[in-house]
Amino acid sequence: YREASSGDCVSCVSKEDGSNPHLVLILAAAAVVLLPILALVVAALVYRAKLEAIYATRKNQILTGCNHSTMLFVTYQIIVSMASSFKFRGSYGYPSPFKEVMNALSGIFTIDIVGVLHVDCLGRTDFEDKLLASTLLPIGLFLLEAVYH
């Protein structure tokens, strides 16, 4: 697979027994992400009345902050993805200092499920698999959310 921050090709299997060390890292990262989310959900359920009162008094400030955060996130996504577009057209990408910053931010701001989870290590993937994962996963999550509500 290609490492997200540097673009270097890295071997999926690094042990003689053929085990995949990245699977452990993926599960650990999922636990690190999911445990705080679970804690926030429990806290929201426990302090629901207080949170609703805060939201009612500061609704405009909260919505403005959410809108500004969304605009910044989308802007960073565009800036980070432009480097790969430049490389695709034959350019060298961004200049050196800015390139390192964008490579570091690319793991955060790009929504490449196949690249982040290193699905390439589980089996051979091509552009069609990445396209299907990128389009069907959000649709599947939306349908799961719709069924839940």
Side-chain angles (χ1 to χ4, degrees), residues 16-129:
E16 291 96 22
D17 61 356
S19 64
N20 185 352
H22 297 289
L23 186 60
V24 174
L25 291 175
I26 291 169
L27 293 175
V32 167
V33 170
L34 293 177
L35 287 176
I37 291 173
L38 180 65
L40 286 173
V41 168
V42 170
L45 292 174
V46 171
Y47 298 107
R48 183 177 180 149
K50 289 182 182 180
L51 291 174
E52 286 176 351
I54 291 171
Y55 181 75
T57 58
R58 299 198 171 122
K59 183 178 179 179
N60 288 335
Q61 291 94 349
I62 292 172
L63 292 178
T64 302
C66 289
N67 289 337
H68 288 217
S69 300
T70 302
M71 286 188 285
L72 282 174
F73 188 80
V74 170
T75 302
Y76 285 133
Q77 280 183 321
I78 292 169
I79 292 171
V80 167
S81 65
M82 282 176 62
S84 62
S85 304
F86 291 152
K87 288 179 186 176
F88 182 73
R89 296 185 68 208
S91 175
Y92 293 110
Y94 292 126
S96 181
F98 193 66
K99 182 178 180 180
E100 279 82 26
V101 172
M102 289 298 109
N103 285 340
L105 292 176
S106 70
I108 299 169
F109 291 108
T110 56
I111 305 174
D112 181 16
I113 302 300
V114 176
V116 171
L117 298 179
H118 303 300
V119 178
D120 300 346
C121 290
L122 302 175
R124 294 281 180 210
T125 59
D126 57 1
F127 178 75
E128 183 181 355
D129 297 328

Side-chain angles (χ1 to χ4, degrees), residues 140-149:
L141 290 174
F142 172 75
L143 291 175
L144 234 102
E145 179 71 19
V147 169
Y148 177 73
H149 285 292

